[in-house]
Amino acid sequence: MSWIDMVIASLTVLVGSTLQGSVGFGMGLLASPILLIIDQRFVPAPILLSTLCLTTLLTLRERHAIDVRGLRWAVIGRVAGTVLAATVLSVLSADRMTVLFGVLVLAGVGMSLSGLRLAPTGSVLVGAGALSAVMGTIAAVGGPPMALVYQDAPGARIRATMSGFFWVGTILSLSALRVVGRFGMTEVSLSLVLLPSMLAGFFMSRWTAGYVDRG
């Protein structure tokens, strides 16, 4: 990668991590398409590993507001969806993976803009967790399904619950990627390139989250 690529990647992750720290999701949805253009190896494992660090910090910061009941249902769905995603990854060629990535990103954007309202019932959370797992494991864009469910909750609850969900889910997704041979030392090295910008975005979000919460 050239230094220009490195700068663009760092700025993208800075904005994405600030966004996720402010509203609860958005790192993957914003950063994954741009990182894929810069270097396909950034997606999905390196950005997921960076997101794992981010969600760890966010979960600790907002742990008082976690919806424990909702988190349990969503994690059940996440486990099932991760198994499905791993199966898909093990059989698809690189060309078809690129097409599927594009479809999942567009689906995430569509969900974010849909205005759909979903009550956070057990069955809805299981379904959202499963869909988030498929989208997150394959394309690192697992936020929109869960964001639909929690969009009417207070800001701290959205960030805390989604961060807790992403923390568990990202570990599952990285484990699945490891099993199918898509997560190793190369991906760890690439994630370290993104880490400084992710940390900067997290600290910036301490201010921007309060701004968002005020409307």
Side-chain angles (χ1 to χ4, degrees), residues 7-209:
V7 169
I8 294 173
S10 296
L11 288 174
T12 300
V13 171
L14 173 64
V15 176
S17 57
T18 303
L19 176 63
Q20 181 147 334
S22 303
V23 302
F25 82 109
M27 169 78 153
L29 192 62
L30 174 71
S32 290
I34 299 172
L35 292 176
L36 187 70
I37 293 170
I38 295 172
D39 191 326
Q40 291 188 358
R41 295 175 300 170
F42 273 127
V43 182
I47 190 171
L48 282 174
L49 187 55
S50 298
T51 303
L52 178 63
C53 298
L54 176 61
T55 54
T56 300
L57 294 171
L58 290 173
T59 302
L60 291 172
R61 189 179 78 187
E62 315 242 23
R63 58 189 178 277
H64 62 281
I66 294 176
D67 176 15
V68 177
R69 172 194 164 277
L71 184 61
R72 289 171 181 165
W73 284 114
V75 167
I76 292 172
R78 183 85 192 204
V79 172
T82 301
V83 174
L84 175 60
T87 303
V88 171
L89 286 169
S90 67
V91 299
L92 278 188
S93 65
D95 290 342
R96 291 185 176 180
M97 272 298 303
T98 301
V99 174
L100 180 57
F101 175 88
V103 170
L104 291 176
V105 170
L106 290 174
V109 172
M111 289 179 192
S112 300
L113 298 175
S114 67
L116 183 66
R117 289 290 191 271
L118 297 173
T121 63
S123 58
V124 168
L125 284 163
V126 170
L131 184 56
S132 177
V134 174
M135 296 175 69
T137 304
I138 295 174
V141 289
M146 290 296 294
L148 280 177
V149 179
Y150 280 102
Q151 62 186 303
D152 294 323
R157 171 154 292 195
I158 296 173
R159 291 188 297 270
T161 306
M162 291 186 66
S163 295
F165 170 76
F166 290 143
W167 186 83
V168 175
T170 302
I171 291 174
L172 292 173
S173 293
L174 288 171
S175 299
L177 290 169
R178 177 67 176 173
V179 169
V180 299
R182 293 176 181 261
F183 178 39
M185 289 308 300
T186 298
E187 287 75 20
V188 172
S189 299
L190 285 168
S191 72
L192 294 177
V193 174
L194 307 176
L195 187 60
S197 296
M198 182 280 295
L199 291 172
F202 166 74
F203 286 112
M204 286 181 63
S205 73
R206 296 176 70 90
W207 175 78
T208 55

